[in-house]
Amino acid sequence: MSDKKDIRALTKDQLRDFFEKEGDQAFRGNQVYEWLWSKSAHTFTDMTNLSKETRSMLEENFVINHIKVDDMQKSSDGTIKNAVKLHDGLIVESVLIPTKSRTTACVSSQVGCSLDCKFCATSRLKRMRNLNPDEIYDQVVAIDNESRLYHDRPLSNIVFMGMGEPLMNYNNVLKAIDKITSPEGLGMSPKRIVVSTSGVPKMIKKMADEDVKFKLAVSLHSAIDEVRTSIMPFNATFPLKDLREALEYWYAKTKNRITYEYVVWKGINDQKKDVDALIDFCKFAPSKVNLIEYNPIDDGMFQQANDEAINMYVSMLERHNITVTVRRSRGKDIDAACGQLANKS
Ligand code: SAH
């Protein structure tokens, strides 16, 4: 590994300053910035509007730590999973999910995960490190390229539902989103981005204070503390009362509806009392429930509930005017579905 600085850690102003200090003109900084971000250049040689001298001067001072798509798997349903190699050799996964009307990138925010959800394969990897903003951005660019190549259209949506807990890598996730939404980056609308969290109350409030424009999804899975703590042990530290208070704050500030992600498991949360608690939890702020299909992670502890239980959830929620959708898994045959990302290959 080189000890030269990663040039993409510099802001545009820092790049401009760098060129000025080198006795060149500041606007070179803008040119390089454009190459690095909106044109996603992998090498200094690609930067064809710079002189040869400038390019080798950059080469002497910096590296471009670009991610590399190390392996790509295609599912029979069109889903693509990338195993992405980082500059230090660690691997994360990201997924392209095509539907009729959109192409969604599901991106990772950490190598492994800081949390310990019992039903999620990623939690077994433990957190090794946070991803840098550019490593998050690059996953999106790689998926956008694949979307154009294999599905003839650009990427339309992004969900932070890959490996990791985005709110435990808050600053870098926000910096990445800034780049993704900036006209100098990919120019995507923040309304097409969903940050999914297991629910870190303090960070949800911080996000609300910063007036972010993307959407929020919360992996709820149970609105009863005892049940939630048994499947998501960190709930003991961040109980539902705190989560609820943070979400109330989020809604008051942003006026953005909250999505709850929810898997119904046999013998865990498939009773009427579970639905009652969920309905109650949905009342304090406008929200919508996504019932996600369980993707088995080869241990016997969890099993998808039967259709009867799912139908009970749907009809009871609808009776209370709460929007509910039942989502089918995508990319299961290549371990690309929710909760299956674990660097198996
Ligand atoms: N840490 C974030 C984002 C990653 S998980 C979060 O918790 O939201 C993305 C979604 O997949 C979450 O809703 C999570 O609860 C869900 N998930 C995890 N394991 C799953 C599994 N085995 N089957 C179905 N969904 C799962």
Side-chain angles (χ1 to χ4, degrees), residues 2-10 14-15 18-19 22 32 36 44 54-65:
S2 151
D3 54 10
K4 292 182 208 170
K5 197 171 163 64
D6 179 6
I7 190 162
R8 292 195 304 167
L10 301 188
Q14 287 169 327
L15 275 173
F18 171 80
F19 278 102
E22 287 289 317
V32 171
L36 292 174
F44 294 112
T54 306
R55 282 183 264 162
S56 39
M57 183 275 287
L58 289 172
E59 197 88 58
E60 276 161 33
N61 286 280
F62 298 106
V63 286
I64 305 176
N65 279 339

Side-chain angles (χ1 to χ4, degrees), residues 299-316:
D299 78 2
M301 189 173 160
F302 292 94
Q303 262 180 296
Q304 166 81 27
N306 56 28
D307 287 350
E308 216 173 296
I310 306 286
N311 293 341
M312 170 179 68
Y313 264 90
V314 173
S315 60
M316 283 179 68

Side-chain angles (χ1 to χ4, degrees), residues 270-289:
D270 58 353
Q271 300 300 310
K272 183 172 171 294
K273 69 169 176 20
D274 299 293
V275 198
D276 286 336
L278 174 61
I279 289 168
D280 186 54
F281 199 85
C282 286
K283 277 189 185 147
F284 64 84
S287 52
K288 145 183 182 208
V289 175

Side-chain angles (χ1 to χ4, degrees), residues 113 115 117 119-121 160-166 196-198 217-219 221 232 261 263 265 292-297 338-340:
C113 189
L115 301 178
C117 305
F119 46 82
C120 179
F160 281 80
M161 295 187 190
M163 294 172 158
E165 168 49 51
S196 174
T197 176
S198 295
V218 176
S219 303
H221 303 310
M232 303 170 84
E261 291 156 279
V263 179
W265 289 286
I292 324 176
E293 190 183 339
Y294 176 55
N295 303 306
I297 56 162
C338 281
Q340 291 188 314

Side-chain angles (χ1 to χ4, degrees), residues 99-119:
T99 63
K100 243 188 227 145
S101 55
R102 48 170 83 169
T103 313
T104 302
C106 173
V107 298
S108 294
S109 56
Q110 298 181 313
V111 188
C113 189
S114 352
L115 301 178
D116 46 10
C117 305
K118 299 286 184 216
F119 46 82

